[in-house]
Amino acid sequence: MGDGLRYQEYRSLARKRVEEVLLGQPSLLKDGVQADQVRMEPITPACVEASLQWGDSATLFPWECVQRWKGKDRRGFDLAIWHASELCGLCYATPRKSRLCIKIILLESQPGCSHPLAGSVAALAIMSTEFYGRMLGCREIEIENPVFAVRPLYEALGFKCMLGSRLVMKIDP
């Protein structure tokens, strides 16, 4: 199997694994949220278009660039988090030239608390990235240039502040 196909399979497996975890442990989601309605998919142009519907306070990041990045970064990991037909979050991570660290480059949740996965998007994205990173043999996840206001959330999810402003979480083998 060629490298490109192998990484595509890893991405697919990581997304599917999170869906399986949620079905087996629905308590990871807020009360009333049906785990069988949560989908993890690649970021497509339709996802980018859906994110534009989040309103003026949304889309802090250049999601429209992800398609181009995916073409150049065969090990990159893209994730769209859906609940039924509602896009709740987007994430892009890559190990770039590293064999030890996968970096979450972009992570954004639909603004506000009205969507079903409010408060869960970061945890789901990190879980997916961790599964993918583990398949690549990475030993840590780093949040690249975290938004200052969100740092406490990442720390609550297990990230530690390292040298300067690096936020890092170890990946267990």
Side-chain angles (χ1 to χ4, degrees):
M1 177 180 344
D3 281 346
L5 188 56
R6 176 176 43 159
Y7 297 128
Q8 182 178 338
E9 180 69 16
Y10 288 173
R11 286 187 290 272
S12 180
L13 287 170
R15 294 181 197 112
K16 185 171 180 55
R17 181 70 180 117
V18 172
E19 291 174 353
E20 291 169 350
V21 167
L22 293 176
L23 288 172
Q25 299 176 44
S27 61
L28 293 174
L29 299 169
K30 293 186 300 192
D31 287 340
V33 175
Q34 296 177 330
D36 64 347
Q37 295 296 304
V38 178
R39 292 188 333 272
M40 306 290 165
E41 297 181 349
I43 296 175
T44 63
C47 296
V48 174
E49 186 65 32
S51 74
L52 296 175
Q53 306 308 308
W54 288 348
D56 293 339
S57 63
T59 59
L60 299 172
F61 302 115
W63 295 109
E64 67 280 357
C65 296
V66 170
Q67 293 302 311
R68 186 177 70 244
W69 297 347
K70 287 171 31 171
K72 294 178 181 179
D73 183 6
R74 65 183 180 170
R75 294 191 310 153
F77 179 67
D78 59 315
L79 177 67
I81 302 171
W82 296 84
H83 183 272
S85 62
E86 186 170 6
L87 178 65
C88 298
L90 295 166
C91 178
Y92 186 78
T94 180
R96 288 196 178 139
K97 296 177 183 175
S98 175
R99 294 197 174 272
L100 302 177
C101 179
I102 185 164
K103 291 183 180 187
I104 295 178
I105 307 299
L106 305 174
L107 174 54
E108 187 172 21
S109 177
Q110 180 186 134
C113 297
S114 61
H115 67 89
L117 298 178
S120 299
V121 168
L124 294 172
I126 291 164
M127 184 187 311
S128 300
T129 302
E130 182 176 1
F131 286 139
Y132 182 67
R134 191 175 290 127
M135 286 183 253
L136 296 179
C138 294
R139 296 185 188 153
E140 61 185 27
I141 301 171
E142 179 180 341
I143 305 291
E144 182 171 279
N145 301 319
V147 174
F148 184 77
V150 186
R151 288 178 70 98
L153 169 66
Y154 293 135
E155 290 170 352
L157 291 170
F159 284 83
K160 305 280 187 243
C161 188
M162 307 292 274
L163 299 172
S165 64
R166 288 185 72 216
L167 282 179
V168 177
M169 172 191 280
K170 297 294 181 195
I171 295 178
D172 294 326

